[in-house]
Amino acid sequence: MNIRLAEAKDIKQLIKMRWDNTIEFDESKKNESYDDFEKECQIFLEKGLNSGQWFIWVAEENEKIVSHIYIESIQKVPRPGRITYPFAYMTNVYTIPEYRNKGVGSKVLSSVNKWIKENHYEFVIVWPSDEAINYYKKNGYVHCTELMEYFPS
């Protein structure tokens, strides 16, 4: 199992995994246009991988991506009297079904956590599904309820 940052050569697999992840948890989306989604996601991933803002960690076996975690680096506004470090937004955490409950996702998350420390991120935020809360807790994350949201109408 190789854990590494994604590259342009991985885009097609990442698009398919995003589609599969969505359909797995919301079957109502299976009749949407894959072609339209693929075009939009292709543009997002090409820009993201080249931006220095998005970092996509993958676990691959025999050149097949079996798990991934997307990290967006968010720069904070500097404040006098302290060094300003970015924080990370974690999203699109997914392991294909046949590799679940085998420690693969935890290995990817462990690599991400190490990278986060090495790159001096201040903290990581993630919105876990109810089913994923224990996965994050066992990997050092603390469940909190301090977030507020605004939904423009």
PDB file of all heavy atoms in Angstrom, residues 44-57:
ATOM      1  N   PHE A  44     -12.221  21.209 -11.555  1.00  0.00           N
ATOM      2  CA  PHE A  44     -11.926  21.445 -10.140  1.00  0.00           C
ATOM      3  C   PHE A  44     -10.612  20.786  -9.739  1.00  0.00           C
ATOM      4  O   PHE A  44      -9.761  21.401  -9.097  1.00  0.00           O
ATOM      5  CB  PHE A  44     -13.057  20.913  -9.260  1.00  0.00           C
ATOM      6  CG  PHE A  44     -12.719  20.930  -7.798  1.00  0.00           C
ATOM      7  CD1 PHE A  44     -12.866  22.089  -7.042  1.00  0.00           C
ATOM      8  CD2 PHE A  44     -12.220  19.794  -7.172  1.00  0.00           C
ATOM      9  CE1 PHE A  44     -12.524  22.109  -5.701  1.00  0.00           C
ATOM     10  CE2 PHE A  44     -11.873  19.805  -5.831  1.00  0.00           C
ATOM     11  CZ  PHE A  44     -12.031  20.971  -5.098  1.00  0.00           C
ATOM     12  N   LEU A  45     -10.431  19.517 -10.103  1.00  0.00           N
ATOM     13  CA  LEU A  45      -9.231  18.784  -9.698  1.00  0.00           C
ATOM     14  C   LEU A  45      -7.974  19.321 -10.378  1.00  0.00           C
ATOM     15  O   LEU A  45      -6.923  19.427  -9.736  1.00  0.00           O
ATOM     16  CB  LEU A  45      -9.411  17.291  -9.956  1.00  0.00           C
ATOM     17  CG  LEU A  45     -10.405  16.596  -9.028  1.00  0.00           C
ATOM     18  CD1 LEU A  45     -10.734  15.196  -9.538  1.00  0.00           C
ATOM     19  CD2 LEU A  45      -9.896  16.557  -7.603  1.00  0.00           C
ATOM     20  N   GLU A  46      -8.061  19.655 -11.653  1.00  0.00           N
ATOM     21  CA  GLU A  46      -6.893  20.228 -12.334  1.00  0.00           C
ATOM     22  C   GLU A  46      -6.459  21.521 -11.656  1.00  0.00           C
ATOM     23  O   GLU A  46      -5.278  21.720 -11.384  1.00  0.00           O
ATOM     24  CB  GLU A  46      -7.201  20.474 -13.815  1.00  0.00           C
ATOM     25  CG  GLU A  46      -7.242  19.213 -14.635  1.00  0.00           C
ATOM     26  CD  GLU A  46      -7.712  19.442 -16.063  1.00  0.00           C
ATOM     27  OE1 GLU A  46      -8.106  20.579 -16.426  1.00  0.00           O
ATOM     28  OE2 GLU A  46      -7.700  18.458 -16.834  1.00  0.00           O
ATOM     29  N   LYS A  47      -7.423  22.411 -11.401  1.00  0.00           N
ATOM     30  CA  LYS A  47      -7.104  23.673 -10.725  1.00  0.00           C
ATOM     31  C   LYS A  47      -6.594  23.407  -9.315  1.00  0.00           C
ATOM     32  O   LYS A  47      -5.610  24.008  -8.875  1.00  0.00           O
ATOM     33  CB  LYS A  47      -8.331  24.576 -10.671  1.00  0.00           C
ATOM     34  CG  LYS A  47      -8.684  25.206 -11.985  1.00  0.00           C
ATOM     35  CD  LYS A  47      -9.911  26.105 -11.836  1.00  0.00           C
ATOM     36  CE  LYS A  47     -10.297  26.737 -13.154  1.00  0.00           C
ATOM     37  NZ  LYS A  47     -11.513  27.563 -13.029  1.00  0.00           N
ATOM     38  N   GLY A  48      -7.293  22.536  -8.598  1.00  0.00           N
ATOM     39  CA  GLY A  48      -6.930  22.260  -7.212  1.00  0.00           C
ATOM     40  C   GLY A  48      -5.530  21.706  -7.063  1.00  0.00           C
ATOM     41  O   GLY A  48      -4.763  22.156  -6.206  1.00  0.00           O
ATOM     42  N   LEU A  49      -5.175  20.741  -7.888  1.00  0.00           N
ATOM     43  CA  LEU A  49      -3.855  20.128  -7.777  1.00  0.00           C
ATOM     44  C   LEU A  49      -2.738  21.095  -8.146  1.00  0.00           C
ATOM     45  O   LEU A  49      -1.606  20.936  -7.701  1.00  0.00           O
ATOM     46  CB  LEU A  49      -3.778  18.867  -8.647  1.00  0.00           C
ATOM     47  CG  LEU A  49      -4.584  17.673  -8.150  1.00  0.00           C
ATOM     48  CD1 LEU A  49      -4.532  16.543  -9.181  1.00  0.00           C
ATOM     49  CD2 LEU A  49      -4.109  17.190  -6.792  1.00  0.00           C
ATOM     50  N   ASN A  50      -3.049  22.093  -8.949  1.00  0.00           N
ATOM     51  CA  ASN A  50      -2.042  23.068  -9.361  1.00  0.00           C
ATOM     52  C   ASN A  50      -2.030  24.330  -8.512  1.00  0.00           C
ATOM     53  O   ASN A  50      -1.155  25.169  -8.684  1.00  0.00           O
ATOM     54  CB  ASN A  50      -2.244  23.451 -10.837  1.00  0.00           C
ATOM     55  CG  ASN A  50      -1.918  22.302 -11.762  1.00  0.00           C
ATOM     56  OD1 ASN A  50      -0.926  21.609 -11.567  1.00  0.00           O
ATOM     57  ND2 ASN A  50      -2.751  22.081 -12.750  1.00  0.00           N
ATOM     58  N   SER A  51      -2.973  24.463  -7.602  1.00  0.00           N
ATOM     59  CA  SER A  51      -3.150  25.722  -6.875  1.00  0.00           C
ATOM     60  C   SER A  51      -2.258  25.885  -5.652  1.00  0.00           C
ATOM     61  O   SER A  51      -2.038  27.004  -5.195  1.00  0.00           O
ATOM     62  CB  SER A  51      -4.609  25.841  -6.421  1.00  0.00           C
ATOM     63  OG  SER A  51      -4.869  24.892  -5.380  1.00  0.00           O
ATOM     64  N   GLY A  52      -1.783  24.787  -5.098  1.00  0.00           N
ATOM     65  CA  GLY A  52      -1.079  24.878  -3.823  1.00  0.00           C
ATOM     66  C   GLY A  52      -2.035  25.099  -2.664  1.00  0.00           C
ATOM     67  O   GLY A  52      -1.609  25.294  -1.532  1.00  0.00           O
ATOM     68  N   GLN A  53      -3.325  25.055  -2.941  1.00  0.00           N
ATOM     69  CA  GLN A  53      -4.350  25.229  -1.915  1.00  0.00           C
ATOM     70  C   GLN A  53      -5.000  23.892  -1.552  1.00  0.00           C
ATOM     71  O   GLN A  53      -5.427  23.696  -0.430  1.00  0.00           O
ATOM     72  CB  GLN A  53      -5.416  26.208  -2.408  1.00  0.00           C
ATOM     73  CG  GLN A  53      -6.469  26.544  -1.386  1.00  0.00           C
ATOM     74  CD  GLN A  53      -7.447  27.595  -1.908  1.00  0.00           C
ATOM     75  OE1 GLN A  53      -7.263  28.194  -2.961  1.00  0.00           O
ATOM     76  NE2 GLN A  53      -8.502  27.807  -1.163  1.00  0.00           N
ATOM     77  N   TRP A  54      -5.089  22.985  -2.497  1.00  0.00           N
ATOM     78  CA  TRP A  54      -5.684  21.673  -2.270  1.00  0.00           C
ATOM     79  C   TRP A  54      -4.593  20.601  -2.285  1.00  0.00           C
ATOM     80  O   TRP A  54      -3.720  20.611  -3.151  1.00  0.00           O
ATOM     81  CB  TRP A  54      -6.719  21.355  -3.350  1.00  0.00           C
ATOM     82  CG  TRP A  54      -8.011  22.057  -3.124  1.00  0.00           C
ATOM     83  CD1 TRP A  54      -8.402  23.249  -3.670  1.00  0.00           C
ATOM     84  CD2 TRP A  54      -9.083  21.622  -2.296  1.00  0.00           C
ATOM     85  NE1 TRP A  54      -9.648  23.576  -3.218  1.00  0.00           N
ATOM     86  CE2 TRP A  54     -10.102  22.597  -2.376  1.00  0.00           C
ATOM     87  CE3 TRP A  54      -9.292  20.511  -1.480  1.00  0.00           C
ATOM     88  CZ2 TRP A  54     -11.297  22.485  -1.683  1.00  0.00           C
ATOM     89  CZ3 TRP A  54     -10.489  20.396  -0.795  1.00  0.00           C
ATOM     90  CH2 TRP A  54     -11.477  21.373  -0.901  1.00  0.00           C
ATOM     91  N   PHE A  55      -4.705  19.675  -1.338  1.00  0.00           N
ATOM     92  CA  PHE A  55      -3.786  18.542  -1.219  1.00  0.00           C
ATOM     93  C   PHE A  55      -4.651  17.294  -1.075  1.00  0.00           C
ATOM     94  O   PHE A  55      -5.434  17.195  -0.133  1.00  0.00           O
ATOM     95  CB  PHE A  55      -2.865  18.721  -0.016  1.00  0.00           C
ATOM     96  CG  PHE A  55      -2.062  19.985  -0.092  1.00  0.00           C
ATOM     97  CD1 PHE A  55      -2.561  21.170   0.441  1.00  0.00           C
ATOM     98  CD2 PHE A  55      -0.829  19.999  -0.714  1.00  0.00           C
ATOM     99  CE1 PHE A  55      -1.837  22.352   0.351  1.00  0.00           C
ATOM    100  CE2 PHE A  55      -0.096  21.178  -0.798  1.00  0.00           C
ATOM    101  CZ  PHE A  55      -0.602  22.359  -0.275  1.00  0.00           C
ATOM    102  N   ILE A  56      -4.515  16.383  -1.999  1.00  0.00           N
ATOM    103  CA  ILE A  56      -5.338  15.177  -1.982  1.00  0.00           C
ATOM    104  C   ILE A  56      -4.426  14.001  -1.689  1.00  0.00           C
ATOM    105  O   ILE A  56      -3.529  13.676  -2.465  1.00  0.00           O
ATOM    106  CB  ILE A  56      -6.077  14.981  -3.318  1.00  0.00           C
ATOM    107  CG1 ILE A  56      -6.932  16.218  -3.632  1.00  0.00           C
ATOM    108  CG2 ILE A  56      -6.916  13.710  -3.272  1.00  0.00           C
ATOM    109  CD1 ILE A  56      -7.489  16.258  -5.031  1.00  0.00           C
ATOM    110  N   TRP A  57      -4.673  13.378  -0.548  1.00  0.00           N
ATOM    111  CA  TRP A  57      -3.889  12.219  -0.128  1.00  0.00           C
ATOM    112  C   TRP A  57      -4.591  10.964  -0.604  1.00  0.00           C
ATOM    113  O   TRP A  57      -5.818  10.841  -0.476  1.00  0.00           O
ATOM    114  CB  TRP A  57      -3.753  12.214   1.392  1.00  0.00           C
ATOM    115  CG  TRP A  57      -2.780  13.249   1.842  1.00  0.00           C
ATOM    116  CD1 TRP A  57      -3.031  14.568   2.090  1.00  0.00           C
ATOM    117  CD2 TRP A  57      -1.385  13.059   2.040  1.00  0.00           C
ATOM    118  NE1 TRP A  57      -1.862  15.206   2.434  1.00  0.00           N
ATOM    119  CE2 TRP A  57      -0.847  14.308   2.415  1.00  0.00           C
ATOM    120  CE3 TRP A  57      -0.547  11.953   1.939  1.00  0.00           C
ATOM    121  CZ2 TRP A  57       0.503  14.471   2.703  1.00  0.00           C
ATOM    122  CZ3 TRP A  57       0.789  12.121   2.220  1.00  0.00           C
ATOM    123  CH2 TRP A  57       1.308  13.372   2.603  1.00  0.00           C
TER     124      TRP A  57
END
